[in-house]
Amino acid sequence: MKDRDSASMAALIGLGLCYLAKEDYRQAAPAYEGALAIEESAFPSNYTNLYVTLAQIARSYDELKDYNRALHFYDRALSLVEKTLPTESPEIAKLLCTIGSVHLQKGDNDKALPFLERGLRIYGKQPGGTNDVESTQAYLFYERLEHTARLGQSLKAANDLWLKNDAARGIPEYERLLGYVERAYGKES
């Protein structure tokens, strides 16, 4: 790497860090993208530090609610770490849970579930199990997602019975629905 490229890359990464600290994500993303262009031209495609830059770009777009662009960069980061780190790496688990979270934010619950499940499986194999923040958040997302799916299924079943004037069978469905709501959101006091 040329000295000029090295200095430019360091400056762009520094700018990205500063913009992230200021929560100015519109400025952070292009700074990191500039650093990424230099990194990609100077290092092999399996250079692990590319993951950090890709993840910072993705985070910037995630904060800007540009979820498709965020997913693009998170997916690239995941592809890189899956090639360069052990399969049970906490970094992989964190990325999987983050990707799942972005899919949830987009409303793509079906796409979120496999990422969250896989990330939680990896976290569960780490020393100390699932006690860290990312895995706990992922677990809560997963639980809420499961409850939401059950709520939808139960509500549909209850409504179908109600529409068929089958109150005797509809009541247990609505009671089951109420149970799911209470487990997902707590009992109303």
Side-chain angles (χ1 to χ4, degrees), residues 11-182:
L12 288 166
I13 289 172
L15 277 172
L17 287 169
C18 290
Y19 286 131
L20 282 181
K22 287 179 52 181
E23 298 181 0
D24 187 349
Y25 306 110
R26 290 194 191 292
Q27 296 295 324
Y32 279 117
E33 287 179 7
L36 179 64
I38 295 169
E39 287 177 316
E40 288 179 323
S41 69
F43 298 106
S45 62
N46 64 348
Y47 180 61
T48 307
N49 284 354
L50 288 173
Y51 144 75
V52 176
T53 306
L54 289 164
Q56 294 294 47
I57 295 168
R59 177 179 168 213
S60 298
Y61 286 122
D62 189 2
E63 293 291 343
L64 291 168
K65 299 188 181 349
D66 188 343
Y67 301 126
N68 290 331
R69 286 177 90 177
L71 285 170
H72 168 75
F73 287 102
Y74 280 134
D75 288 339
R76 285 185 61 194
L78 179 62
S79 176
L80 176 66
V81 296
E82 285 180 325
K83 292 174 189 169
T84 59
L85 298 176
T87 57
E88 302 299 316
S89 166
E91 288 83 4
I92 292 175
K94 182 177 181 177
L95 266 174
L96 288 165
C97 291
T98 301
I99 291 169
S101 171
V102 174
H103 281 296
L104 285 176
Q105 291 173 68
K106 283 183 65 180
D108 292 338
N109 296 353
D110 291 339
K111 289 182 181 176
L113 196 56
F115 288 101
L116 294 172
E117 286 175 335
R118 187 170 158 223
L120 285 172
R121 268 195 307 277
I122 294 170
Y123 272 128
K125 295 177 183 177
Q126 301 303 312
T130 59
N131 294 329
D132 60 10
V133 174
E134 288 89 6
S135 62
T136 301
Q137 289 174 335
Y139 177 76
L140 294 174
F141 275 133
Y142 177 71
E143 283 295 302
R144 182 63 52 90
L145 189 60
E146 281 223 332
H147 285 297
T148 302
R150 287 185 189 146
L151 289 171
Q153 291 168 352
S154 188
L155 181 60
K156 182 183 179 333
N159 285 342
D160 287 348
L161 291 169
W162 179 77
L163 288 171
K164 293 178 184 174
N165 291 323
D166 193 349
R169 288 182 37 213
I171 290 171
E173 288 297 325
Y174 281 113
E175 288 173 344
R176 184 176 13 214
L177 174 62
L178 185 58
Y180 290 143
V181 170
E182 288 173 351

